[in-house]
Amino acid sequence: MKEWWLQVGLLGVPLLAVYLHIPPPQPSPALRSWKSSGSFFTYKDLNVFYRDSSGAVGSSDVVVLLHGFPTSSYDWSKIWEGLTQRFHRVIALDFLGFGFSDKPRPHGYSIFEQATIVEGLLRHLGLRHQRINLLSHDYGDTVAQELLHSAGIFSPLFFFEFLSGSLTLEFVSPNPIFFPGSEQFSGPTRSPPRRNSGIWRNDDFSFSILQYINQRKKHRERWVGALTSTSVPLHLIYGPLDPVNPHPEFLQLYKKVLPTSTVSVLDDHISHYPQLEDPTGFLNAYLNFINSF
């Protein structure tokens, strides 16, 4: 028995060493183009990637897009052009630890810090007192809820929209959804701690980011309260095939907790990433909500 474990160890150590030193895959041309169209701003001593596109002439409306876990601002690529035809400015960032933003480690990643970074970006862009349309998905939902809790930073008014994603209402399914190998993921974690972009790796760094699940449980009252007490218009765009928030349980819960919120339900085959799976249907649902004001 000892000899068997010794053989496993002798084989495993060099394999682990090779794994840790394999360079991450290079971004695709589309992702390189996405990066070249963006910029960085500094949060403390860290670089945070964002895109800021000017759009519709004659409109003063601004939309800020908050991506989910474990992806990046590239989630919005399929609806970006459509948004620029409606909004004066379309803005998206990669949260710290995701996409092209820095990935410090060790680091105590938190929803509170990510919300502070969003506020810092708005200040950096001179938009702190501009009316903001806030569009969020998954992990970004919770960041948006924290921003809503501190809604004083958005004056005089902001509208608030959710895509299908893990809202802090009740944990129907707390486990995040994974698509191994997607170029949109955060990571990697095998190379230097900053300015990395590649595929998701499930190690100590990723579990640091995964603490958002525990934070949702701990601060549920704060973040659900932000939704139930606000006078800001809320809207949910929902994909019925979403495995993270199953139909019909999640939709029933959402309507019970937030009866004044409006809801758009997409086609039955739409799942957790409606902005990618059905960009036209999603964009139409979103603009119908925006244009109702």
Side-chain angles (χ1 to χ4, degrees):
M1 181 64 70
K2 292 182 179 179
E3 292 181 357
W4 181 82
W5 282 107
L6 180 60
Q7 292 174 0
V8 171
L10 291 174
L11 178 63
V13 169
L15 288 177
L16 179 62
V18 170
Y19 171 80
L20 292 174
H21 289 87
I22 295 175
Q26 293 300 308
S28 69
L31 203 52
R32 290 198 298 269
S33 175
W34 185 263
K35 182 180 181 180
S36 67
S37 299
S39 304
F40 290 86
F41 83 102
T42 301
Y43 166 73
K44 297 183 177 179
D45 64 337
L46 301 169
N47 291 328
V48 176
F49 175 81
Y50 70 95
R51 285 195 66 185
D52 178 11
S53 295
S54 298
V57 176
S59 172
S60 61
D61 291 345
V62 177
V63 60
V64 176
L65 313 173
L66 306 179
H67 70 81
F69 175 93
T71 52
S72 72
S73 59
Y74 191 70
D75 279 357
W76 310 107
S77 59
K78 289 188 176 181
I79 62 169
W80 195 266
E81 183 178 353
L83 291 174
T84 62
Q85 295 174 10
R86 169 59 178 80
F87 292 95
H88 174 60
R89 290 173 76 173
V90 181
I91 299 163
L93 78 160
D94 289 349
F95 289 124
L96 191 67
F98 296 79
F100 294 116
S101 292
D102 282 355
K103 302 168 180 63
R105 69 175 190 184
H107 186 80
Y109 290 92
S110 75
I111 295 297
F112 298 101
E113 181 182 50
Q114 304 287 21
T116 299
I117 291 172
V118 175
E119 183 181 6
L121 175 60
L122 294 178
R123 185 182 293 109
H124 172 75
L125 297 176
L127 296 173
R128 193 171 184 272
H129 299 292
Q130 179 84 20
R131 191 180 82 171
I132 299 295
N133 298 276
L134 198 61
L135 174 58
S136 65
H137 175 227
D138 191 84
Y139 182 93
D141 292 343
T142 312
V143 178
Q145 286 171 262
E146 173 55 26
L147 291 169
L148 185 63
H149 183 270
S150 305
I153 70 172
F154 293 101
S155 58
L157 175 67
F158 76 99
F159 298 126
F160 193 41
E161 300 86 35
F162 293 113
L163 278 74
S164 171
S166 306
L167 300 180
T168 309
L169 298 176
E170 180 174 294
F171 288 90
V172 178
S173 175
N175 299 317
I177 186 168
F178 294 91
F179 297 95
S182 170
E183 65 180 13
Q184 304 164 37
F185 285 8
S186 63
T189 61
R190 300 172 306 192
S191 39
R194 297 184 185 174
R195 290 178 278 280
N196 302 316
S197 60
I199 64 173
W200 175 258
R201 297 298 180 192
N202 192 25
D203 64 4
D204 58 332
F205 169 70
S206 63
F207 279 108
S208 178
I209 291 180
L210 280 170
Q211 289 304 307
Y212 82 92
I213 295 177
N214 292 332
Q215 292 165 19
R216 280 177 166 178
K217 294 177 181 179
K218 181 177 180 180
H219 302 289
R220 183 183 184 279
E221 183 176 346
R222 174 188 181 95
W223 291 331
V224 174
L227 296 176
T228 57
S229 63
T230 186
S231 59
V232 170
L234 304 176
H235 187 72
L236 171 71
I237 302 176
Y238 181 66
L241 203 60
D242 187 350
V244 180
N245 296 301
H247 184 272
E249 292 85 1
F250 175 77
L251 199 56
Q252 292 170 348
L253 174 65
Y254 183 89
K255 291 179 177 180
K256 178 181 179 180
V257 176
L258 300 171
T260 61
S261 173
T262 53
V263 176
S264 295
V265 180
L266 301 180
D267 291 344
D268 289 345
H269 67 281
I270 304 303
S271 183
H272 190 66
Y273 282 84
Q275 76 275 40
L276 295 173
E277 299 170 53
D278 183 14
T280 300
F282 166 75
L283 188 62
N284 288 338
Y286 176 66
L287 294 182
N288 285 339
F289 169 70
I290 290 296
N291 293 332
S292 67
F293 296 93

